[in-house]
Amino acid sequence: MTCTSEYVPQLRARGFRMTSQRLAILHVLRHAGTHLSPSEIYRQAKRDYPGLTEPTVYRTLELLSDIALVRPSYNSSGHLTYEIAGNDHHHIICKQCGSEIEVEHTLLESLYRLLETTSGYRSIGSHVTFFGVCPQCQTS
Amino acid sequence: MTCTSEYVPQLRARGFRMTSQRLAILHVLRHAGTHLSPSEIYRQAKRDYPGLTEPTVYRTLELLSDIALVRPSYNSSGHLTYEIAGNDHHHIICKQCGSEIEVEHTLLESLYRLLETTSGYRSIGSHVTFFGVCPQCQTS
DNA sequence: ATAGTTATTGCAAGAACTTGCAATAAGGAT
DNA sequence: ATCCTTATTGCAAGTTCTTGCAATAACTAT
Ligand SMILES: [Mn+2]
Ligand SMILES: [Mn+2]
Ligand SMILES: [Zn+2]
Ligand SMILES: [Zn+2]
């Protein structure tokens, strides 16, 4: 499945257009498979499309988040990072050393049901980041 | 309980000093009782202590977060905001209209126990923000 | 009270992020 | 193929946030 064939319909369905800039950014995120900062995305996508500018990167990442093609999250220093949307998961980051682990979404499902019934809010979102202290840092 | 008498010992206990700047910032947050952005905190605290500068505000908020006197969180547009530490709670923000509600921490307690046992991480932190769609926005 | 130690601050410069607006180009229609 | 509409971009300027370093002031010890 190529980036073009996969993402063009998803953009069109919402009334958005595919552009070289968006394709370059999606390509970077898809190939990376991890969380990337806007500036790192900018740096890499510029290789594909040298005319790319920073404002476009920021605006594109926000759009792609809105239509759920990418997921925003915060790293240990509180800055926004993005990753390509895929299997649902969450993160726990160590407050002290910054080490990060993934958490299956299934662990949160009963909480989400509870939140939805008690709050009335729906489709309460994925990709949450929790902060704690990792096993290593607990000993020292 | 005055700000000075309450917070001086908490800073000292960790080897930090109380300053007019920190006192002014703590005072603003305590009086506000809601989430405030760094620039709003700066604006208000400057009234108490006109010499205050922005770098000090940012550094202070980070310090106070580290020692848990204030809690950081993200608003609907993804920007950092801070509130004075108090009763444990979390938030759900509507992705569409930005409306925000609080969630008792007790609702999350069993999840936290589950996360701690499965991950090995400890004291997994409070003040999480979930994103969903509020009752009003569901109808339209 | 005074002096000494060093955490904290202000300054200045830089990096990251945002915004308005005119120019461009994607997609639809002819 | 060509034109038309308007979503999208680049540019330039502005705002927010960060960082190194020298000056300041909080606390300790005398
Ligand atoms: Mn992730
Ligand atoms: Mn809160
Ligand atoms: Zn750790
Ligand atoms: Zn809403």
Side-chain angles (χ1 to χ4, degrees):
Chain A
M1 193 63 151
T2 164
C3 282
T4 310
S5 63
E6 178 162 4
Y7 296 123
V8 169
Q10 302 207 50
L11 285 167
R12 293 275 172 78
R14 302 250 196 168
F16 299 114
R17 299 171 181 178
M18 179 54 90
T19 65
S20 319
Q21 293 88 340
R22 286 175 183 171
L23 200 54
I25 289 166
L26 281 164
H27 191 74
V28 164
L29 284 165
R30 192 176 191 184
H31 180 266
T34 54
H35 299 181
L36 294 176
S37 68
S39 62
E40 178 63 16
I41 294 165
Y42 171 62
R43 207 181 58 75
Q44 291 190 32
K46 221 172 149 61
R47 293 201 288 248
D48 259 350
Y49 188 84
L52 188 66
T53 62
E54 278 184 301
T56 296
V57 173
Y58 286 101
R59 284 188 280 225
T60 298
L61 291 170
E62 204 174 328
L63 173 80
L64 296 177
S65 299
D66 285 346
I67 64 179
L69 295 186
V70 309
R71 292 195 200 298
S73 63
Y74 298 93
N75 62 21
S76 58
S77 58
H79 288 157
L80 260 178
T81 61
Y82 295 85
E83 76 180 325
I84 200 76
N87 75 312
D88 278 0
H89 66 273
H90 309 273
H91 295 271
I92 306 179
I93 297 181
C94 177
K95 273 183 273 205
Q96 294 180 30
C97 72
S99 80
E100 185 176 334
I101 62 170
E102 287 200 5
V103 175
E104 294 290 325
H105 175 66
T106 53
L107 285 180
L108 302 206
E109 257 165 8
S110 68
L111 168 69
Y112 275 40
R113 275 197 294 276
L114 182 60
L115 288 180
E116 291 183 354
T117 57
T118 60
S119 73
Y121 279 57
R122 284 287 176 76
S123 28
I124 291 172
S126 22
H127 214 233
V128 176
T129 299
F130 299 93
F131 289 87
V133 181
C134 78
Q136 279 212 357
C137 291
Q138 285 168 36
T139 65
S140 51
Chain B
M1 195 63 152
T2 165
C3 281
T4 309
S5 62
E6 180 162 4
Y7 296 123
V8 169
Q10 303 208 50
L11 284 167
R12 293 273 172 80
R14 302 249 195 168
F16 299 113
R17 300 171 180 176
M18 178 55 87
T19 65
S20 319
Q21 292 90 337
R22 288 175 181 170
L23 199 54
I25 289 167
L26 281 164
H27 191 76
V28 165
L29 284 165
R30 192 176 192 184
H31 181 265
T34 54
H35 300 182
L36 294 177
S37 68
S39 62
E40 179 62 17
I41 294 165
Y42 171 61
R43 208 181 57 75
Q44 290 190 33
K46 221 172 149 64
R47 292 202 289 248
D48 260 349
Y49 188 84
L52 188 65
T53 62
E54 278 184 302
T56 297
V57 172
Y58 286 100
R59 286 190 278 226
T60 299
L61 291 171
E62 205 174 326
L63 173 80
L64 296 178
S65 299
D66 284 347
I67 62 178
L69 295 187
V70 308
R71 293 195 199 298
S73 63
Y74 298 94
N75 62 21
S76 58
S77 58
H79 288 157
L80 261 177
T81 60
Y82 295 86
E83 75 181 323
I84 199 79
N87 74 312
D88 278 0
H89 66 272
H90 309 272
H91 295 273
I92 306 179
I93 298 183
C94 177
K95 274 185 272 210
Q96 294 179 30
C97 72
S99 80
E100 186 176 334
I101 62 170
E102 287 198 6
V103 175
E104 294 289 327
H105 175 65
T106 53
L107 286 179
L108 302 207
E109 258 166 7
S110 68
L111 168 69
Y112 275 40
R113 275 196 295 275
L114 183 60
L115 288 180
E116 290 182 354
T117 57
T118 60
S119 73
Y121 279 56
R122 284 288 175 78
S123 28
I124 291 173
S126 24
H127 214 233
V128 176
T129 299
F130 299 94
F131 288 88
V133 180
C134 78
Q136 278 213 357
C137 291
Q138 286 168 36
T139 65
S140 53

